[in-house]
Amino acid sequence: MPTTPEEPEDGTQTRLADRETVRLPAQRRPVRGKPPARRPARRAPLALAATVTTLWAALVSLVPTLVVVWLLHAVDSSGAPLGQLLRLGVAGWLLAHFVPLATGIGPVSLAPLGLTVVAVWRVYRAGVHTARAIGARGKPKAKRGWWSPWPAARAALCVALVYGVLGVVAAAVADHKGIDVPIVRAGFTFAGFALVAAGLGAFTEARGIARLAARLPGVLRDATRTGAVAALLILGAGAAVTGMAVAVSFGDASQIIDDYHTGIAGQIGLVVVCGFFAPGVATWAASYLVGPGFQIGSETTISAAEVSVGPLPAVPLLAGLPSTPATGWAPLLLGLPLAAALLAGWLLARRSLRDDPGRGWWPLLGAAALTGPVAGVLLGLASVASGGSLGGGGLAQVGPHAGAVAFVAMLMTSIGTLLATTATKLVLRAKKERG
């Protein structure tokens, strides 16, 4: 049978699409050439984003202070006007940002670190949200690894500027008869506070911290991480010891609260105030465990080897202070910082050998040795932050001996981390040879 032009020689039928071109409607025709360019995402103005996020951060940390002042007002029931309560609350908020106050009893600069942690967290988030709003993370350019730090830096600077203005306003509000606040210093202190916290948040959002960590040598990166872990473990041990001491002396602590003769609202306010100062007291306990100890004024010195107790403020947290040097089972608590260093060294060795089974001795021991200085610096900074003044006279100096704490913690952490990493590597190598 002869074939036709419409049929191939193998007898198969030709599909309609092969014989003729099917024309689609104009609205359904495929678009050839370059796709239409997408509109760039709309970004919020930097000033607006920084103002909104910073105001919210300040509000979140200020409101709890005002509530606590209102609760404490039930302690004396003096009928103070609302304006005075507002000024007292703002003064406490300034203290949380390390702004000193000149009062009738002398200078007061002891910061409620619990509230400080809340303020740092919220300003950090303000930096994150501001950097995200202006697109600080950006897009990768043609050159691989290109990244500009300026968008994140501008976000941090703008947040710091707004927060500094809030510090000036807060100082002007709190400054009244009986409390003298340095307004200019408050502005610069708030700006510096926000520059550090918001800068960390902005550069984290822009992946600048991750890029910096990736460029650091592995030894420094491991030492920084392990030193931070060791410092946090030692501070955690101090918090545990503080809680245990207050629990053992619960009768004395509750008696102090009862002596104020206040109602439920006032008792709640006192407990919340103790919670604000609890991180600072935990840092004092950590300095006691490390060895140098701390002082509460000129007549009270607390350390493992020496205890001298003088007149103390009527605060429930101080009910757990020891009255004698460490005896009996108490010296065992002094081994907690060394145990924290051993645990940090074990974690360092396990993580390093898991990621790089062939890692040699010198990089591992170098990271372990540098862990001590990192932990010492962090604990020294925590000791400085937890110190201050509670007035003139015998309470002019309160807090740990920061330099001694940093030095002893550095030695203790370096020794413990070196021992733990060495033992862990030997044990893992022995297991590998047997296996």
Side-chain angles (χ1 to χ4, degrees):
M1 179 177 178
T3 60
T4 62
E6 291 79 12
E7 298 178 355
E9 295 182 356
D10 57 359
T12 59
Q13 296 292 329
T14 303
R15 292 178 299 180
L16 178 61
D18 297 329
R19 293 201 302 263
E20 59 181 348
T21 303
V22 179
R23 301 184 65 84
L24 299 175
Q27 64 272 20
R28 295 184 180 180
R29 291 178 186 175
V31 180
R32 297 181 179 180
K34 295 182 179 181
R38 294 182 178 181
R39 292 182 178 180
R42 298 183 64 182
R43 302 295 184 185
L46 175 59
L48 177 62
T51 302
V52 172
T53 57
T54 308
L55 287 176
W56 176 249
L59 189 64
V60 170
S61 59
L62 175 60
V63 168
T65 313
L66 298 177
V67 172
V68 169
V69 170
W70 177 75
L71 290 174
L72 287 177
H73 174 58
V75 173
D76 52 12
S77 299
S78 59
L82 182 62
Q84 184 177 350
L85 296 179
L86 175 63
R87 286 192 292 267
L88 289 176
V90 173
W93 190 58
L94 290 168
L95 271 180
H97 292 80
F98 306 105
V99 177
L101 308 176
T103 66
I105 62 174
V108 176
S109 60
L110 187 66
L113 291 187
L115 188 60
T116 303
V117 171
V118 175
V120 169
W121 168 55
R122 290 317 308 170
V123 176
Y124 171 88
R125 295 303 301 173
V128 170
H129 293 310
T130 304
R132 186 179 301 166
I134 65 172
R137 180 174 295 187
K139 296 181 180 180
K141 301 296 182 180
K143 184 179 178 181
R144 187 177 180 182
W146 183 91
W147 177 76
S148 174
W150 295 117
R154 288 190 294 112
L157 287 172
C158 201
V159 171
L161 178 62
V162 176
Y163 213 66
V165 172
L166 291 178
V168 171
V169 173
V173 171
D175 190 86
H176 66 288
K177 185 178 180 180
I179 297 180
D180 186 17
V181 184
I183 296 180
V184 176
R185 180 174 177 177
F188 281 105
T189 303
F190 268 63
F193 183 94
L195 185 63
V196 175
L200 185 60
F203 278 91
T204 300
E205 168 63 21
R207 296 179 179 175
I209 303 297
R211 287 180 171 89
L212 178 61
R215 293 183 179 181
L216 287 176
V219 173
L220 291 179
R221 190 164 54 246
D222 291 340
T224 303
R225 182 189 297 115
T226 309
V229 170
L232 289 176
L233 289 174
I234 294 175
L235 291 174
V241 170
T242 300
M244 183 178 62
V246 174
V248 171
S249 306
F250 179 76
D252 296 335
S254 60
Q255 184 61 45
I256 293 175
I257 295 177
D258 291 339
D259 289 342
Y260 282 99
H261 301 290
T262 181
I264 298 297
Q267 292 179 359
I268 294 175
L270 287 172
V271 171
V272 175
V273 168
C274 291
F276 283 165
F277 285 96
V281 178
T283 306
W284 300 356
S287 69
Y288 174 85
L289 296 176
V290 170
F294 58 94
Q295 65 181 43
I296 305 177
S298 59
E299 301 183 22
T300 300
T301 301
I302 306 293
S303 67
E306 177 187 2
V307 173
S308 176
V309 180
L312 295 173
V315 179
L317 271 179
L318 301 181
L321 289 178
S323 57
T324 59
T327 57
W329 293 97
L332 295 178
L333 297 176
L334 304 180
L336 290 176
L338 182 59
L342 292 172
L343 179 58
W346 176 75
L347 292 173
L348 168 65
R350 288 293 300 268
R351 182 178 58 251
S352 299
L353 297 177
R354 180 193 59 198
D355 297 339
D356 184 10
R359 191 173 189 180
W361 279 101
W362 289 115
L364 186 61
L365 295 181
L370 291 176
T371 295
V374 173
V377 169
L378 293 177
L379 289 174
L381 292 176
S383 299
V384 171
S386 66
S389 173
L390 283 176
L395 296 176
Q397 185 63 38
V398 176
H401 307 284
V405 170
F407 180 74
V408 176
M410 178 188 67
L411 294 179
M412 189 178 300
T413 306
S414 295
I415 294 172
T417 309
L418 285 170
L419 290 175
T421 50
T422 303
T424 304
K425 184 173 176 61
L426 291 174
V427 170
L428 292 179
R429 188 173 67 176
K431 287 183 178 181
K432 184 177 180 181
E433 292 175 353
R434 286 198 302 266

